[in-house]
Amino acid sequence: MTGKVRTREKCGKCGGAFKVSEEQDIICPQCGTRPKSFYLRLYWHGTEYRIAKDRDGHTIDSYRRAHRILEGIRTEIESKTFSISDYLPKELELFRGRTLLPKWYGSKVALNLAPSHLREVKRYVDKMFLPAFGALDCREIRTYHIEDFFITLKGADKTKQNIMVMLKNFCRWLMDRDILRRVPKFPEISPELPVILWTTKEVQLKVVAAVPEKDRAIFQFAVYHPIRPGELRALRVKDFMMDEGMVRISRAFSLKEERSRKNKKPYYLPLSATFDRVVLKGKLPEAFAFLNAIGRPYTASGLRKVWQRACKNAQVPYINFYNATRHSTASQALNAGVSLDRISAALGHSSLEITRRYASLNVQK
């Protein structure tokens, strides 16, 4: 018969050895006491193993529990699914979430993804995935684990969807490495599309007029050219082709790192007649087009703060910078009768489907 239940302890009363009643119990014949910890003595492929913890890393603290684990092992051996590594502490640790989640995050870092994206993934790992899956053997992740985790999530459906997409990505990473046999079922989440807020050109210009003169150029450009704030901050002098009346959008800032724009492909945008080329005067081609008061590219938070103060000074209801520039300019164009394909080109969208969100705003038209 495969394996035996044993204990390393002596009787706490008389100091004598416990008597093994095979397949029934371990007890001190003199005092009737029982040990508090047990181990399985198992011979496997010519090697003796002593298993003192279950697959979850818990100490085997009763004979009944020890025998139940032993019976499970015997069943696995008969079905040819047994692996000794499933019961060895050092081997088990290799498959814990606390070991594999950091490795998965490291694989994300190696892909050179946007710092803003990596920051979110790191937050999910530290604040959500590790507390829920850190002690779990990732080979044993099942649908009920996913469902139990999902129930704990709070916030908007879109936030929950983002978190679950990342968790599913982790499970696929495990499966690709033959750690997980299959990806568990994930709940279907269909969040409503976020409402696109926008404002009129009159309000835009009123706020721009309230921006301090030293910062006004970048905001003036933003309300006439619907590019993302990160792309706006990354514009260099060489991107402006004044003879052709065009500007090339090819890079963006993600946090403080400059990299390719969101969908990787550069595109060209006609320059508005309102653009003042004085902004570029005296600057080298590699210089950034728009610089803050200390001669550096604007930060995302820096732009937001200036815009927020300007809204207050202009006495208009606050609308965030992204909505007040990119979304507003696109919405104004749609209501003026500009076709979706032209708006899509101006926004640099990778497909017309992304732009169709603005169609719901076509109320004035």
Side-chain angles (χ1 to χ4, degrees), residues 127-340:
K127 303 294 185 182
M128 301 173 195
F129 299 163
L130 279 173
F133 300 96
L136 184 65
D137 184 337
C138 290
R139 295 170 294 184
E140 302 299 324
I141 295 178
R142 298 292 182 265
T143 299
Y144 70 87
H145 292 118
I146 304 301
E147 292 174 347
D148 289 348
F149 172 76
F150 179 68
I151 291 172
T152 68
L153 296 181
K154 298 178 181 179
D157 284 347
K158 179 59 177 173
T159 300
K160 293 178 182 179
Q161 184 184 53
N162 292 341
I163 295 168
M164 297 305 285
V165 165
M166 278 297 105
L167 182 57
K168 192 170 188 177
N169 184 279
F170 172 60
C171 290
R172 285 175 176 160
W173 181 84
L174 293 173
M175 191 176 73
D176 289 344
R177 283 152 186 78
D178 295 327
I179 295 171
L180 192 61
R181 292 185 180 180
R182 65 179 182 83
V183 174
K185 290 183 179 179
F186 276 69
E188 294 289 336
I189 310 172
S190 300
E192 293 182 5
L193 288 175
V195 177
I196 295 177
L197 302 176
W198 64 285
T199 190
T200 64
K201 184 63 67 180
E202 180 184 4
V203 170
Q204 284 178 315
L205 296 178
K206 188 175 181 180
V207 177
V208 169
V211 171
E213 188 174 353
K214 61 183 175 62
D215 295 312
R216 194 170 297 158
I218 190 170
F219 291 95
Q220 177 78 12
F221 187 89
V223 300
Y224 284 103
H225 303 84
I227 66 177
R228 297 181 178 90
E231 297 166 345
L232 174 66
R233 293 160 50 211
L235 286 176
R236 294 179 183 268
V237 173
K238 66 180 182 181
D239 295 322
F240 290 81
M241 297 169 284
M242 299 307 301
D243 291 341
E244 294 84 358
M246 306 284 284
V247 59
R248 185 173 186 264
I249 317 298
S250 62
R251 294 176 310 281
F253 273 107
S254 177
L255 300 183
K256 295 182 179 180
E257 181 182 316
E258 189 183 3
R259 53 192 297 115
S260 298
R261 61 181 296 270
K262 190 172 183 179
N263 70 0
K264 309 298 182 184
K265 297 180 181 179
Y267 74 104
Y268 296 84
L269 188 64
L271 284 169
S272 166
T274 63
F275 178 65
D276 187 355
R277 67 176 62 202
V278 172
V279 171
L280 311 178
K281 189 175 180 180
K283 295 178 181 176
L284 296 173
E286 290 294 332
F288 287 101
F290 302 105
L291 300 173
N292 61 21
I294 60 175
R296 293 186 176 183
Y298 284 86
T299 63
S301 61
L303 285 179
R304 287 195 298 268
K305 289 177 182 177
V306 173
W307 183 260
Q308 190 171 16
R309 284 195 297 268
C311 285
K312 184 177 180 180
N313 292 336
Q315 297 183 334
V316 302
Y318 175 72
I319 178 172
N320 73 49
F321 183 59
Y322 195 103
N323 287 329
T325 53
R326 182 172 168 86
H327 281 173
S328 291
T329 301
S331 302
Q332 293 161 15
L334 184 68
N335 284 321
V338 179
S339 64
L340 275 178

Side-chain angles (χ1 to χ4, degrees), residues 7-33:
T7 184
R8 295 185 178 89
E9 296 181 30
K10 300 289 185 180
C11 177
K13 291 184 177 180
C14 67
F18 286 103
K19 180 182 178 181
V20 178
S21 179
E22 210 59 71
E23 302 292 324
Q24 295 182 23
D25 204 352
I26 295 180
I27 192 169
C28 175
Q30 301 295 326
C31 310
T33 58

Side-chain angles (χ1 to χ4, degrees), residues 8 37-40 50-54 57-61 87 89:
R8 295 185 178 89
S37 63
F38 300 77
Y39 69 89
L40 304 180
R50 298 193 176 193
I51 302 171
K53 293 184 179 181
D54 64 14
H58 300 131
T59 299
I60 303 175
D61 56 4
Y87 296 90

